[in-house]
Amino acid sequence: AQSVTQLDSQVPVFEEAPVELRCNYSSSVSVYLFWYVQYPNQGLQLLLKYLSGSTLVKGINGFEAEFNKSQTSFHLRKPSVHISDTAEYFCAVRGRLTGGGNKLTFGTGTQLKVEL
Amino acid sequence: GAGVSQSPSNKVTEKGKDVELRCDPISGHTALYWYRQRLGQGLEFLIYFQGNSAPDKSGLPSDRFSAERTGESVSTLTIQRTQQEDSAVYLCASSSTGQVGEQYFGPGTRLTVT
């Protein structure tokens, strides 16, 4: 079984400032890692994913995340945020050896609020 | 192409009534998931359908909750004898076996139990 911890429920930041949203996971097996974003009144959409290879992955809208196996972390970063980045961000994990399908375990989410 | 659709978008019901929520996945997606999102909380997994396999019902909170899926198409989530704590946004997602971890979400059904 896996679990995901997003310690920051809310992160306020000024426009054009950098931001980091933290995600830590726990798993007894190797995992795939994901970040999803939920804009106001919309469904979730995939932002980026780590499957294998380079531990630094780049996603849409200028976001990137780095997989750190020793620290069991997958923090999300953006060097300069925009007002339109205001949304809820969810970290998710899936065991590599899951019997089938794509059942994910989600964190509780981090609300990013970008201010002028 | 069309994304995942859900209906109704909003549902207000009285405590004790039954409700039925519908999800139309993306055509060709073999997997379908239901989640519950309570106000200010994360996604709570409810149930998962994968092709013709028996569904994973491990997340259903009580026997008042049930779900069905017709083949690889429409799914309905039924909540019997609704309680106020059932108030939440119910999200449906679908995925194909070829894309690891990528789930496509619908806009959700906001359920309010009065």
Side-chain angles (χ1 to χ4, degrees):
Chain A
Q2 293 84 39
S3 67
V4 178
T5 301
Q6 293 181 249
L7 287 173
D8 305 309
S9 60
Q10 293 187 14
V11 174
V13 62
F14 288 108
E15 193 174 34
E16 299 184 4
V19 70
E20 179 179 85
L21 306 183
R22 296 181 293 167
C23 171
N24 288 86
Y25 70 92
S26 173
S27 176
S28 57
V29 300
S30 296
V31 297
Y32 299 122
L33 293 155
F34 311 87
W35 276 98
Y36 278 78
V37 59
Q38 185 179 30
Y39 296 104
N41 300 313
Q42 294 186 29
L44 280 74
Q45 59 182 280
L46 183 67
L47 195 56
L48 50 78
K49 60 184 176 182
Y50 171 75
L51 303 183
S52 65
S54 173
T55 56
L56 183 63
V57 293
K58 295 186 184 297
I60 60 173
N61 300 337
F63 283 92
E64 62 181 34
E66 185 156 21
F67 170 54
N68 187 319
K69 187 175 180 180
S70 63
Q71 296 185 2
T72 60
S73 68
F74 191 54
H75 301 332
L76 181 70
R77 303 187 187 100
K78 186 169 182 178
S80 176
V81 296
H82 188 267
I83 285 285
S84 60
D85 293 322
T86 294
E88 185 113 26
Y89 293 79
F90 293 92
C91 183
V93 64
R94 199 206 98 173
R96 287 179 177 266
L97 300 179
T98 300
N102 281 314
K103 180 182 172 183
L104 301 176
T105 299
F106 286 87
T108 51
T110 297
Q111 177 66 45
L112 175 64
K113 184 174 182 181
V114 181
E115 302 168 350
L116 293 172
Chain B
V4 177
S5 61
Q6 293 185 246
S7 61
S9 55
N10 280 284
K11 176 73 176 179
V12 180
T13 190
E14 292 180 353
K15 177 181 174 180
K17 301 279 189 182
D18 297 353
V19 295
E20 197 171 272
L21 313 180
R22 177 187 169 107
C23 172
D24 280 275
I26 293 173
S27 177
H29 279 190
T30 57
L32 186 147
Y33 316 78
W34 282 99
Y35 296 91
R36 178 168 69 178
Q37 186 176 26
R38 288 175 165 151
L39 187 63
Q41 299 186 25
L43 275 71
E44 177 185 4
F45 166 76
L46 297 177
I47 188 169
Y48 157 49
F49 297 89
Q50 173 63 52
N52 294 320
S53 302
D56 177 352
K57 304 179 181 180
S58 60
L60 295 178
S62 76
D63 59 7
R64 296 187 295 106
F65 288 73
S66 63
E68 293 183 350
R69 187 180 186 193
T70 307
E72 293 186 352
S73 60
V74 172
S75 175
T76 55
L77 176 69
T78 301
I79 308 173
Q80 295 179 310
R81 306 181 301 282
T82 52
Q83 303 295 313
Q84 288 187 331
E85 61 262 29
D86 299 334
S87 295
V89 175
Y90 289 83
L91 292 168
C92 173
S94 69
S95 71
S96 67
T97 53
Q99 293 174 301
V100 176
E102 186 156 1
Q103 296 184 12
Y104 294 81
F105 283 79
T109 293
R110 182 175 298 278
L111 175 66
T112 304
V113 182
T114 61

